[in-house]
Amino acid sequence: MLTLSTITPPFSLSLYQDETLLEQCLAAGLAVTRSCRNGNCGRCDCQLLSGQVKLSNGNIVQATANVALCISYALSNVQFQSIPLIQQPSYWRCQLKGTQHLRLPAGRQTPPHAGDICALLHEDTVEINEAVRVEGRNIILQKPIQFAKQAAGLSMITIDRQYQGRYSLWRETPLQTLLLWDNINYLSAVAAQAAYRKSPDTGSYIVYFNRNTC
C-alpha cells in the first residue's frame, strides 16, 4: 500500500491506486476545498514535492509539479507541501473565571457566538462544551468544566457539531504517549493540534488516521 504525506501540517494517509487522491482524502475526513472534480477549477491543486501520479487522461506527472487531487492517482508514495482545506475553526486562550465562565484576553479578537460548540483543550484530555451566552469578553458555557485547574489558562477552539470522524490526537513526551482526543474529523484534529502547539504544555502533538475504525 502507498502513502500520501504532507509537510504542513505533518500528516500521512495510506492510499489505494484505483481511487483519486481527492476521493481518498475526503473518505478519510479531510475537508479539502474542491468544486469541479475535473481538474479545471484549481481549488484542490497541490504542490507535489516527491513521487509520481497518473492523471485521469493517462498522463504521468513526476515531482516537482502542481497537480489536481481530483484527477490524480498515486503511482508511488507521494508527498505534498500541504493540502488546501476549508477554513479551520477559531482559537482562543482563555482565563478560567468559574466552572462555567471563561474570559477572553483584552484585545480585538472576535469572540465565539452563542450556540457554538467548543473543544476545551486540557493538558491531558479534550472536553466538549457549548457557549450558551457571550457578553463581551465573557463566555458562559452550558456545562460545568470538569477537568480545568483553578486559576489556570485554558485553550479553546470552536468546532462543527458533526466533529466525529476517524482521526485521533496524541501528545508524545519522552516519558509517555497520551491519547488526548479520539474519533474526530481531520479539521477538528489539526485545529486542536495547532492550538496545543501554541500552549505552554510540553510535548509533540501528532494526528493519526484510524483506518480500521468502522
Side-chain angles (χ1 to χ4, degrees), residues 91-92 121 155-157 190-199:
Y91 160 81
W92 297 268
L121 309 181
S155 296
M156 179 182 75
I157 60 172
V190 296
Q193 179 189 48
Y196 268 116
R197 287 174 172 171
K198 297 177 183 178
S199 73

Side-chain angles (χ1 to χ4, degrees), residues 12-32:
S12 65
L13 170 68
S14 298
L15 293 175
Y16 299 100
Q17 291 182 273
D18 59 349
E19 299 177 7
T20 68
L21 299 182
L22 177 62
E23 289 171 335
Q24 295 183 78
C25 287
L26 294 177
L30 277 69
V32 183

